[in-house]
Amino acid sequence: MPQARIAGIGMYVPEQVVSNQDLTNYMDTSDEWIQERTGIRERRYAHRTQETTTTMGVQAARQAIERAGTTAEEIDFIIFATLSPDYYFPGCGVLLQRAMNMREIGALDIRNQCSGFIYALSVGDQFIRSGMYRNILIVGSEKHSFGLDFSTRGRNISVIFGDGAGAVVLQPAPEDGSGILSTHLHSDGGSAELLAMYNPGTHANHWADQNYASFDEAEIGNMFMSHQMIDEAQNFPYMDGQSVFKKAVVKFPEVIMEALQKNNLSPTDIGVLIPHQANLRISQFVQQKLQLRDDQVYNNIQQYGNTTAASVPIALCEAWEKGMIRQGDLVCLAAFGSGFTWGSALVRW
Ligand code: COA
């Protein structure tokens, strides 16, 4: 069965540029601190009311579909990766299907945060290999700016994240060795709470110390989101940055080497590595560990911050637009994030 190839790629970032200096209006931080720890200079924020995760995904999808030489009507499966969906449910996949007037095709939502795009790519590749679908749209999109704590309390997280979307169209590859060579997915839920947004959720951890042995109707109603939870900022993401950093710098190189070894290749064979844009310091550590040259690694976190599920397709799209990826090049995609989940994909362009 043929493997999948990336037939078209697109991206969309909102117009509004938010600099590190702009963030100092809301919280106690500085351009120097943010650049030194993360490499980020600015990020984009979506329009507060007119743009959503889905609308940004649609923009990126349109470009990817056009570049693939196909049309929205011809897409026969949607995979949408995000952690910042328009609704708690239904997912963004069906909202995109509606917005793009697509046929009544399947729409799958992926919740793997920063590695969401790699997971989506792997699922799409399997559907192409099995012969089930021939035109798969994959979208990674995030509107983080809607739900970050912009007070000093939330500064370790809020300065990192930005909004944007990326998309690819997968089609069967010609039998010339091009396409997705392999994908590699991993998880370790042992540290699930180290990078997480707990609420709204069914976990009830925050109720444990209140001795709720039984529920009456009023209490059940309160469990979804209470005033106390909002007062305590429990509706915002939580991150133990140092633990995330330590795990990421181990798992990134590991999963890249796994992909290379599976295909009897080595780091010197990589044309371009597109690491998930978590933190420039993490990418630099990975580059050093694998002894890659500067021109073998593409980073754009400086302009966009961490756009989670959108970061890999946005960076891939930019690298491709800049002519850094040519036919026959070996492209390595890798991501690590909340879960923890991580993964890699090797693509012969
Ligand atoms: N501006 C200024 N100071 C800040 C700050 C900000 N935005 N955020 C945190 N600080 C302060 C802390 O309050 C702390 O102050 P204290 O020493 O007075 O208590 C100090 O800086 C150090 O905090 P710490 O959290 O230990 O910083 P760090 O060196 O670990 O850097 C991260 C924080 C988030 C940049 C870093 O841990 C990181 O990048 N981790 C990986 C995160 C990541 O990649 N997440 C996405 C995964 S997909």
Side-chain angles (χ1 to χ4, degrees), residues 301-321:
I301 191 169
Q302 301 91 327
Q303 285 87 46
Y304 303 128
N306 179 341
T307 57
T308 310
S311 101
V312 170
I314 288 176
L316 180 65
C317 185
E318 272 200 355
W320 177 79
E321 286 176 353

Side-chain angles (χ1 to χ4, degrees), residues 27-30 33-34 37-38 114 152 155-157 159-161 195 239-246 248 276-279 282 306 308 336-338:
M27 61 186 83
D28 181 12
T29 189
S30 67
W33 192 97
I34 299 171
R37 308 285 174 118
T38 70
C114 297
T152 296
R155 64 184 176 175
N156 69 318
I157 295 184
V159 300
I160 293 179
F161 293 98
L195 175 49
M239 179 173 75
D240 174 344
Q242 293 200 10
S243 300
V244 174
F245 197 103
K246 283 181 196 151
H276 160 55
Q277 301 293 291
N279 179 324
I282 293 176
N306 179 341
T308 310
F336 173 89
S338 163

Side-chain angles (χ1 to χ4, degrees), residues 67-327:
R67 285 173 172 172
T70 185
T71 61
E73 297 79 58
E74 285 180 279
I75 296 295
D76 39 34
F77 195 64
I78 301 162
I79 309 178
F80 202 120
T82 186
L83 67 67
S84 49
D86 294 27
Y87 300 135
Y88 192 75
F89 72 86
C92 289
V94 298
L95 303 181
L96 179 133
Q97 182 269 348
R98 177 176 68 185
M100 298 192 76
N101 293 317
M102 288 168 155
R103 291 177 290 121
E104 292 178 352
I105 54 175
L108 171 70
D109 285 83
I110 297 240
R111 296 192 48 179
N112 284 80
Q113 295 72 245
C114 297
S115 47
F117 182 78
I118 304 288
Y119 269 72
L121 200 69
S122 181
V123 171
D125 184 35
Q126 311 317 312
F127 275 131
I128 299 270
R129 282 176 193 259
S130 73
M132 185 146 170
Y133 298 123
R134 296 187 61 81
N135 247 334
I136 298 180
L137 173 67
I138 297 177
V139 177
S141 181
E142 304 285 0
K143 185 177 174 180
H144 285 304
S145 60
F146 88 108
L148 295 171
D149 181 355
F150 286 104
S151 71
T152 296
R153 183 179 56 188
R155 64 184 176 175
N156 69 318
I157 295 184
S158 304
V159 300
I160 293 179
F161 293 98
D163 301 343
V168 298
V169 172
L170 296 187
Q171 291 174 350
E175 293 194 9
D176 60 359
S178 67
I180 298 171
L181 305 183
S182 64
T183 54
H184 306 269
L185 308 178
H186 294 281
S187 73
D188 173 6
S191 305
E193 282 76 19
L194 293 185
L195 175 49
M197 182 163 150
Y198 308 134
N199 298 302
T202 59
H203 57 85
N205 289 346
H206 45 277
W207 301 98
D209 57 351
Q210 298 189 24
N211 253 333
Y212 278 86
S214 62
F215 304 107
D216 64 26
E217 267 176 45
E219 286 161 351
I220 288 172
N222 271 346
M223 291 191 77
F224 192 69
M225 186 59 76
S226 67
H227 288 290
Q228 185 194 340
M229 287 157 75
I230 293 171
D231 291 344
E232 292 173 359
Q234 292 184 21
N235 55 320
F236 291 119
Y238 168 81
M239 179 173 75
D240 174 344
Q242 293 200 10
S243 300
V244 174
F245 197 103
K246 283 181 196 151
K247 188 95 171 181
V249 295
V250 173
K251 292 302 171 188
F252 262 110
E254 200 176 280
V255 79
I256 292 168
M257 286 310 297
E258 180 186 346
L260 290 169
Q261 280 160 7
K262 162 90 182 165
N263 294 281
N264 296 318
L265 295 163
S266 69
T268 53
D269 295 308
I270 293 177
V272 185
L273 167 67
I274 311 276
H276 160 55
Q277 301 293 291
N279 179 324
L280 189 60
R281 308 297 159 229
I282 293 176
S283 294
Q284 287 168 335
F285 190 96
V286 173
Q287 175 178 347
Q288 196 183 21
K289 178 101 183 165
L290 298 176
Q291 298 187 325
L292 298 173
R293 301 182 311 272
D294 285 351
D295 63 290
Q296 283 179 290
V297 186
Y298 187 71
N299 290 301
N300 61 6
I301 191 169
Q302 301 91 327
Q303 285 87 46
Y304 303 128
N306 179 341
T307 57
T308 310
S311 101
V312 170
I314 288 176
L316 180 65
C317 185
E318 272 200 355
W320 177 79
E321 286 176 353
K322 288 180 177 176
M324 288 178 65
I325 301 174
R326 284 182 290 270
Q327 200 177 352

